[in-house]
Amino acid sequence: MTFKGFTTQLVHCDRLAGVEEGAVHAPIHNSVPYAYAATQDLVDVFQGKQYGHAYARQSTPTLDFLQRKIALLDDSISCLVFGTGMAAIGTVFLTLLKAGDHIVASRFLFGNTSSIFGTLKGYGIEVTLVDATSKQAVAEACQANTKMVFVETIANPATQIVDLQGIGEVCQQRGLVYVIDNTLTSSYLFQPKSVGASLVVTSLSKYFGGHGNALGGSVSDTGLFDWSQYPNIFESYRSGDPKMWGINQMKKKGLRDFGGALSSQMAHVLSMGAETMALRMERQCANALALAKMLEAHPKVAKVYYPGLASHPQHQRAKQLFKHFGALISFDLVDGIDCAAFLDKTQLVLNATHLGDNRTLALPVAQTIYYEMGLAGRQASGISETMIRCSIGIEDGEDLLRDFEQALAQF
């Protein structure tokens, strides 16, 4: 019998992969070195002639189970996991691009991702930021030395939805590596492979793990990109199946050389948290939609940023692409209400920076996570100076609505 349901596949993935002694969860392998009775076996592992583990910075059996699970959910041929989402993103850029290359990216990006572009420029990699809600803007920004396009599914914090399908067509026509950060939708709400993504990046710390208790990141290769035609693959990695060349180079030059490894303990925590992903996201998305509608109708709220609202500029696009509209809401209060003072009046909401937690979290955007970007950068990204960002949790919806209502009533 073939199981096709998202959660059914997820919760039975380890067991069906052959965990020893009838266990239903993959064990935690804490060993750093891996020994072989025959020296030649160790040599063959090092040279890639035989599969196996040599050192935990690159792989462990526990990580293998998690990577297999993520690849299944992303409908991908392979996956690598990292210590954080930023380690995953940094590895994609720094192992697949070189001086003289050019990347086109959405200007509506997570702050740390925007920050890393400054690092890339220092290494001689050109970066053009565009309004990626238009595929035409992406196409016009492409140059002869363009190698990659990078976008997110839902922008944080202003929730713009880029033209994922159209950009995929541009990348396919031009032979570009198409990288989609799927963190805010997760594989439950959206499959980047469906729009032609080459690589899928996910911060596992967010909706995948869900409980705010473990950091992690992943890169999945969908198998759609022809790495045999990509000039930046080192000669030493041009052997075996060409579909694996990209992921192998990221593993060697990223995990081995940069050391952004995920520990087996954290891999296990994330794997356990992921089993309830669909259940959590169903509640979170339902809570977010109800709260967004309430806030949009409230006289003390000037603007709500949420793709589930008909007033959102890309509402129809989000409706066509995603299973639900996500659990990130941002909003502006009317003039005269201080956002920090408002947040201090809430009782359920935690003043914290994170996304995808079981608890509802909120913060004033301009004064915290986008402070370093500066006013001009915030304005270019559609971020107002009074914006409040909320990551909606799994609390009972009525309690959440009442908390926001009572806080607004005090102004």
Side-chain angles (χ1 to χ4, degrees), residues 170-360:
V170 171
C171 291
Q172 196 277 329
Q173 292 164 3
R174 297 171 184 253
L176 304 177
V177 179
Y178 186 21
V179 186
I180 296 181
D181 187 327
N182 198 32
T183 297
L184 287 186
T185 33
S186 82
S187 50
Y188 179 62
L189 299 186
F190 177 62
Q191 287 288 321
K193 185 176 182 178
S194 69
V195 295
S198 312
L199 301 174
V200 181
V201 177
T202 305
S203 171
L204 305 177
S205 321
K206 310 300 192 299
Y207 295 98
F208 184 88
H211 294 73
N213 58 354
L215 291 170
S218 67
V219 179
S220 296
D221 188 322
T222 64
L224 297 180
F225 188 76
D226 183 3
W227 295 106
S228 68
Q229 301 301 310
Y230 192 64
N232 290 356
I233 299 296
F234 292 92
E235 200 61 41
S236 57
Y237 304 134
R238 290 179 172 271
S239 61
D241 185 357
K243 286 185 177 296
M244 299 300 293
W245 290 0
I247 209 83
N248 286 342
Q249 182 157 303
M250 284 187 277
K251 182 176 182 178
K252 296 295 185 181
K253 306 305 292 182
L255 287 173
R256 185 191 64 189
D257 293 3
F258 294 149
L262 178 67
S263 71
S264 290
Q265 292 95 330
M266 289 301 98
H268 181 76
V269 171
L270 290 166
S271 186
M272 295 301 94
E275 291 187 350
T276 59
M277 191 195 319
L279 307 180
R280 288 183 279 105
M281 294 208 75
E282 284 288 335
R283 172 68 74 90
Q284 289 165 322
C285 293
N287 280 350
L289 181 58
L291 180 61
K293 289 179 177 178
M294 185 275 281
L295 291 173
E296 186 176 48
H298 202 286
K300 294 178 182 176
V301 176
K303 184 175 182 179
V304 180
Y305 307 81
Y306 184 67
L309 297 174
S311 57
H312 191 282
Q314 291 90 41
H315 171 68
Q316 287 301 321
R317 179 179 292 166
K319 191 174 181 179
Q320 293 169 2
L321 289 170
F322 308 144
K323 184 180 183 71
H324 299 301
F325 299 104
L328 175 74
I329 296 176
S330 295
F331 63 96
D332 301 327
L333 295 167
V334 296
D335 291 342
I337 302 179
D338 180 75
C339 53
F342 165 77
L343 288 174
D344 286 342
K345 297 295 184 183
T346 61
Q347 297 172 9
L348 278 179
V349 180
L350 304 183
N351 295 313
T353 176
H354 187 45
L355 297 169
D357 197 280
N358 285 331
R359 291 146 287 272
T360 295

Side-chain angles (χ1 to χ4, degrees), residues 1-13 16 72-75 187-188 191 278 323:
M1 180 175 181
T2 301
F3 300 107
K4 298 192 179 293
F6 183 90
T7 298
T8 303
Q9 293 185 78
L10 183 52
V11 298
H12 291 282
C13 184
L16 295 177
L72 174 68
L73 299 180
D74 284 340
D75 191 19
S187 50
Y188 179 62
Q191 287 288 321
K323 184 180 183 71

